Amino acid sequence: MKIVVIGGTGLIGSKVVALLAEQGHDVVAASPASGVDTLTGAGVAAVLVGADVVVDVSNSPSFEDAPAWDFFTTATGNLLAAGQAAGVSHNVTLSVVGTDRLQASGYFRAKAAQERLVAESPVPFSIVRATQFFEFVGRMADSATDGDTVRLSSARCQPMAADDVAAAVARTAVGEPSRTIGEVAGPDRFPLDDLVRAELRARNDSRRVVTDAQAPYFGVVLDDHSLTPGPDAVLAATRYPNWLAANVAAAAF
């Protein structure tokens, strides 16, 4: 199959491209750097010529409300229209577990709009919602930092490795369109504040994590259901302590 991966040079996209290429598919890693810009529409029609599957793992360059809305609605609309014109038979979109429960955030309102566009398009689709990536924990800490203090909720989360996200997306891409939203998650649940404490300790980061039930997560006050998947989620194998041990000098769990 010819599979075009939008965002194919990013963290998840590059891994998806490698996995699909190993399986013998004709894979194109599309990004603005390669002349494919879904936001402006430049290069989109050309790269989709002959494509069987489009995988969209691109992300807004900004978490601010207006730029995120513009990116996810405009870029997705351009991609879906071009895919329909090219006769694409499967559109796979990566989204986020809890999107529907995080609507106080403009970013997640934009993700929900993207999901609706994909589901309402004539192009057969699969939406893969993933939990937060292990690789994203440091950014969580940075977003909640004030001076030497990191203020976070103890709400539960169930993060997973980027490698496992990519594997789930690649597996979906070579299957039949589900026409549904599926969830993937890590094997274990952690309080968000403890997750970040472990990351900082493992990296010898001296910032202090303070537990605050009202601390916002990218603008949203969390509860134990905000970031966790439902009972039908597919659970990945990689555990956070093992990932930490493999990726930093000392693990902290």
Side-chain angles (χ1 to χ4, degrees):
M1 289 191 291
K2 178 180 178 180
I3 304 174
V4 177
V5 181
I6 305 296
T9 59
L11 173 64
I12 303 299
S14 60
K15 296 175 184 294
V16 172
V17 167
L19 288 170
L20 293 172
E22 287 173 5
Q23 296 173 25
H25 298 288
D26 176 12
V27 189
V28 179
S31 70
S34 69
V36 180
D37 189 330
T38 53
L39 186 58
T40 65
V44 177
V47 80
L48 294 187
V49 172
D52 301 291
V53 180
V54 173
V55 175
D56 185 4
V57 294
S58 62
N59 197 9
S60 170
S62 171
F63 276 75
E64 296 298 320
D65 292 6
W69 181 270
D70 186 40
F71 180 83
F72 285 120
T73 57
T74 303
T76 301
N78 289 338
L79 185 61
L80 291 170
Q84 183 181 1
V88 167
S89 59
H90 190 185
N91 184 88
V92 179
T93 302
L94 179 62
S95 192
V96 184
V97 165
T99 288
D100 50 338
R101 298 185 293 275
L102 299 167
Q103 292 298 288
S105 161
Y107 176 86
F108 287 103
R109 289 195 296 274
K111 286 298 291 182
Q114 179 191 36
E115 292 184 352
R116 288 192 297 272
L117 288 170
V118 169
E120 293 168 0
S121 168
V123 180
F125 74 95
S126 302
I127 295 172
V128 179
R129 282 185 179 174
T131 54
Q132 293 70 28
F133 314 152
F134 297 158
E135 290 83 351
F136 190 57
V137 175
R139 186 169 181 180
M140 293 183 202
D142 293 344
S143 72
T145 295
D146 181 8
D148 293 329
T149 299
V150 183
R151 194 171 297 276
L152 288 164
S153 165
S154 61
R156 297 277 169 167
C157 61
Q158 198 166 331
M160 63 190 298
D163 283 342
D164 291 335
V165 177
V169 171
R171 185 169 61 246
T172 302
V174 299
E176 293 297 316
S178 67
R179 301 179 188 269
T180 61
I181 297 173
E183 293 186 327
V184 293
D188 304 307
R189 293 190 178 188
F190 304 99
L192 185 61
D193 54 345
D194 284 349
L195 183 75
V196 171
R197 283 189 184 96
E199 174 91 8
L200 297 183
R201 285 198 300 267
R203 298 188 183 281
N204 295 315
D205 189 317
S206 62
R207 284 178 289 176
R208 182 172 66 98
V209 177
V210 173
T211 304
D212 179 354
Q214 298 303 307
Y217 173 85
F218 295 99
V220 183
V221 176
L222 303 175
D223 61 32
D224 281 343
H225 304 289
S226 301
L227 301 178
T228 52
D232 297 326
V234 176
L235 302 185
T238 308
R239 291 193 140 81
Y240 189 55
N242 297 338
W243 181 89
L244 270 180
N247 285 273
V248 298
F253 277 110

